[in-house]
Every structure is written in C-alpha cells, then in structure tokens.
Amino acid sequence: LHKMEKLKESLEQTSNLIGTYKYTTLATAALSTTTAVLSYIRKGNRSTIHYPADGKYMELLKGCDELQWYGNIPVWGLSGHFQTVYASQIRKGPSFLSERIDITFDENLSFALHYVLEGLEDDTKPILLVVPGVAGHYDNDYIKNFVNYCIEENYRVVVFNWPGCGDSPLTSRILTLGDSRYVDHMVDHVHSRFPDADLFGVGFSLGSNMLVKYLGLVEGVTPLKTCIALACGFDATAGLESFNTKYLQKGITAKWKGIVNENIEMFHNYQQIEFTKLETIENIRDFDEHFTQHIMDEDFLEEYYINASSIHVIHNIKTPTLFINAEDDPIIAHTLFEYAKDHTYENQYIMMVSTVKGGHLGWLQGGFFRSNQKTWVEKVIFEYLANFRNSKFMEED
C-alpha cells in the first residue's frame, strides 16, 4: 500500500508538470506568434499613389524613394489613436527665436506671422510657409519639430498663427474652420518682403484645407512653386459628420472655448450667444451653432461650412500639390480622401498619396517600442521638395 501511494503521488506530480509545460508552451507559442504578427504588420505597407495616367508629375514621385513605403512603425503606433496623441501631445520640439508680425485686413480679420530668425537674411535659401492645424501656432511642438527639420534642410521658415492662439492677441472674430484669405495675405506678405525667394507651402490638417482652398481660388497665380497638404479634410460638412471620436472632439472644442473665455469682453455685444450654454458644449458643430454662426452673421451654418471647404475649388488647382493622408486617421475619415480623389482625378497638378497607418499627422517610425524623433512624413516632405527643386518643373510658371 505504501508503494502504491508513492506511485500515485509520483504520477500526479508528473501530470502537473506536463500540464504546466503544456500551458507554458502554449503561452510561449501565442506570445511568439503575436510578436511575429506584430513585427510583420509594423514593417508597413506600400503607399497608394494616385495621379492621372498622363500626369506631368509622375516621374517626380517615382524618384521619391521614401514616399513609396511607410513602415518600421512602433508596435503601439499600429493604433491611429496612439499615433495621433503621441505626435501632438508627447513628441516635444526645440524652440527658435522669431519675429512676430501682426496683420489685419478687411477691418475685422487679423492673424500673426512668425518669421524664424535662423537664416532669415540668407537670400540663397528658399522659404517654407507653414500653416498649422486648428487653433495652431508657432509654439505647438509638432510645428517646432518641423521648423527644426526645415532649418536642418537649409530652408527659411514663416509660420502662420491662428488668431488668439499662442502669443497672438485676438483682435478680430474667431473662425473655427479658418479662412483662405489668411493664406492669401500670408503669401503676399512673405513675397513682398522676399520677392526673389523661392516659396513653398506646407499645410497641416485644417491648415492644409485653408492652403488648398487658396490654391483653388488663385488657379496658379501665386508665387508658391509647390505645396504639400497633410491630413486635409476637404469638406467641412462631411468631415464633421464622420468625426465621431469624442475625446478628440472635446479637446478641439475646449481650445476654442478657452479662447472665448480669455477674450470674453469682445463678445458681450452678441446678444444671441448664450455663454452659460457654451460652457457645456463638447463638440465643434454645437460650438459653431451657438457661437461661430452668430459671430459670422451667417443665417445658415451649412453656408459657413460650404464656404470653408476646399472640395468645391480643388479641381481648379494649377500649382503642383502633394496630398498625404492616412487611412486610420481618427479625425479625417478616409472616405473624405477618396471623395476628393474622385474630384481631382483629371487634374494633372494634383498628386494624392495614402498610407494604411499613420494616424492624424503621426507617421511615426522607429524600433519595436521606441519612436524616432523624425517622422516618416517629415522625411517625405524634404525628399519631395529636393526632387522638385532639382527638376524641370521648378522653372515653370
């Protein structure tokens, strides 16, 4: 009986060891498989490039090697939401001294420009005009990072400041969707100050929508040689309808509410505005309905959205323009990009690129966990500009 008990005990121990080994093996296999799958996914995908079959800029894009593939994505960057938050809130950038110029036009519209002092008087360098996204300004970290790489690549830089944002005082009405006239006056100011400089434009998010609308309105009559539009939304009405990410909506709305609160005395004459109601609003459309619409003296909010959208004039662009959007952008739905692509397929001046991953203005690259400071799209911008400047298109009017 004693020997039988010992044998039973030994068999139970062996069974437990086998069970433990089985589950450990399964867990190890699952972890290895997950790691392998993630490693494969983070290698990235080939970019999808759209342009007319007879487009005059086909050869230009074919020479942009970096543009062809977006990969080496940190594993957490496989989420467009994580990329968006990291790129806008976590990735810090260096500061540079600048000269601020306040500009007023049409009596009640104003904005500021920041001329970066680094290399400003070097006439051999071209100038990049930078238009940040919603409520953006010179001190946003994603703009400071971009300015840093502009300087490294031997560009002079001028940055647009949204009214009431950063160090720009609010002296006029608030436009939550911007106005292409800002870009028009920005281009005129820079061109007047440096008439012999080669000018290029880069727009981010809502700033790219302003830049694109400007290009569609001027129909090629501009000193800008070429432009790049990142994460452009094209259509305000459709864009807000598809923008369902509550925490991002709430964050953007909070920016505008903060500007209103800081300048509350400017708006007391607008009897239609219910300021107590404004405090509870958490999305852009409600803010526009209860505030912007009254400031704009628009009878219908849809008219304001139509006037702010670039989709209605994009087919008139006659300046070489490169669009880059990500399919997993949590702010700009990919359907907007596809819609714009259908509107511009016959326009030989437009090149449209989409990536599977990238989030909203993210396009991070690096190791399995670590992100590099310089993003994929920052590499692409300067690769494209270098190719353009060395091409036959640089000398075309």
Side-chain angles (χ1 to χ4, degrees), residues 98-105 109-116 129-140 142-144 147 158-173 175 178-179 182-183 186 207 210 256 259:
S98 67
E99 173 192 4
R100 193 189 85 198
I101 305 292
D102 295 315
I103 297 172
T104 301
F105 64 98
L109 286 178
S110 66
F111 64 95
L113 295 179
H114 275 267
Y115 282 82
V116 180
L129 281 65
V130 180
V131 189
V134 60
H137 52 85
Y138 177 70
D139 285 322
N140 288 133
Y142 75 98
I143 296 299
K144 292 197 290 187
V147 168
V158 182
V159 180
F160 170 83
N161 259 42
W162 284 65
C165 301
D167 67 351
S168 297
L170 184 66
T171 60
S172 64
R173 62 191 181 186
L175 301 178
D179 193 310
Y182 290 143
V183 180
M186 178 185 189
M210 286 199 297
W256 291 123
I259 294 170

Side-chain angles (χ1 to χ4, degrees), residues 41 44-45 70 73 77-80 83 325-329 354-359 363 376:
I41 295 173
N45 300 87
Y70 170 51
I73 307 166
L78 297 176
S79 163
Q83 286 226 33
N325 282 55
E327 294 178 16
D328 68 344
D329 189 325
S354 62
T355 58
V356 175
K357 301 294 182 181
W363 291 291
W376 171 82

Side-chain angles (χ1 to χ4, degrees), residues 136-318:
H137 52 85
Y138 177 70
D139 285 322
N140 288 133
D141 280 300
Y142 75 98
I143 296 299
K144 292 197 290 187
N145 271 298
F146 184 63
V147 168
N148 179 46
Y149 295 123
C150 289
I151 292 171
E152 283 188 5
E153 297 287 341
N154 291 314
Y155 287 88
R156 291 177 279 177
V157 194
V158 182
V159 180
F160 170 83
N161 259 42
W162 284 65
C165 301
D167 67 351
S168 297
L170 184 66
T171 60
S172 64
R173 62 191 181 186
I174 291 176
L175 301 178
T176 55
L177 299 178
D179 193 310
S180 63
R181 289 175 293 174
Y182 290 143
V183 180
D184 196 353
H185 285 272
M186 178 185 189
V187 172
D188 284 348
H189 195 277
V190 178
H191 185 52
S192 297
R193 183 168 178 176
F194 299 104
D196 298 323
D198 291 327
L199 305 184
F200 306 96
V202 178
F204 293 79
S205 190
L206 196 52
S208 70
N209 180 70
M210 286 199 297
L211 176 62
V212 170
K213 183 172 182 186
Y214 159 78
L215 294 173
L217 290 174
V218 298
E219 299 187 28
V221 184
T222 174
L224 294 176
K225 297 286 188 179
T226 187
C227 292
I228 302 163
L230 306 178
C232 186
F234 305 102
D235 187 321
T237 302
L240 287 174
E241 287 175 356
S242 61
F243 183 15
N244 298 318
T245 312
K246 289 185 178 180
Y247 77 94
L248 292 172
Q249 277 261 18
K250 187 175 179 179
I252 294 172
T253 306
K255 287 183 181 180
W256 291 123
K257 287 163 61 176
I259 294 170
V260 171
N261 289 331
E262 289 172 7
N263 301 273
I264 195 75
E265 69 283 350
M266 290 184 59
F267 307 109
H268 282 316
N269 291 333
Y270 294 92
Q271 302 298 323
Q272 312 96 314
I273 299 175
E274 299 179 51
F275 290 99
T276 54
K277 174 70 174 176
L278 208 59
E279 290 300 319
T280 64
I281 287 173
E282 295 186 345
N283 68 74
I284 299 166
R285 191 177 184 93
D286 284 349
F287 180 87
D288 285 337
E289 182 178 335
H290 289 88
F291 181 82
T292 313
Q293 181 173 228
H294 303 306
I295 299 297
M296 290 291 295
D297 294 325
E298 297 276 8
D299 293 330
F300 300 101
L301 199 56
E302 291 306 319
E303 185 178 347
Y304 170 60
Y305 289 156
I306 290 170
N307 290 335
S309 300
S310 61
I311 191 67
H312 308 295
V313 296
I314 195 172
H315 58 281
N316 292 327
I317 289 178
K318 291 183 174 61

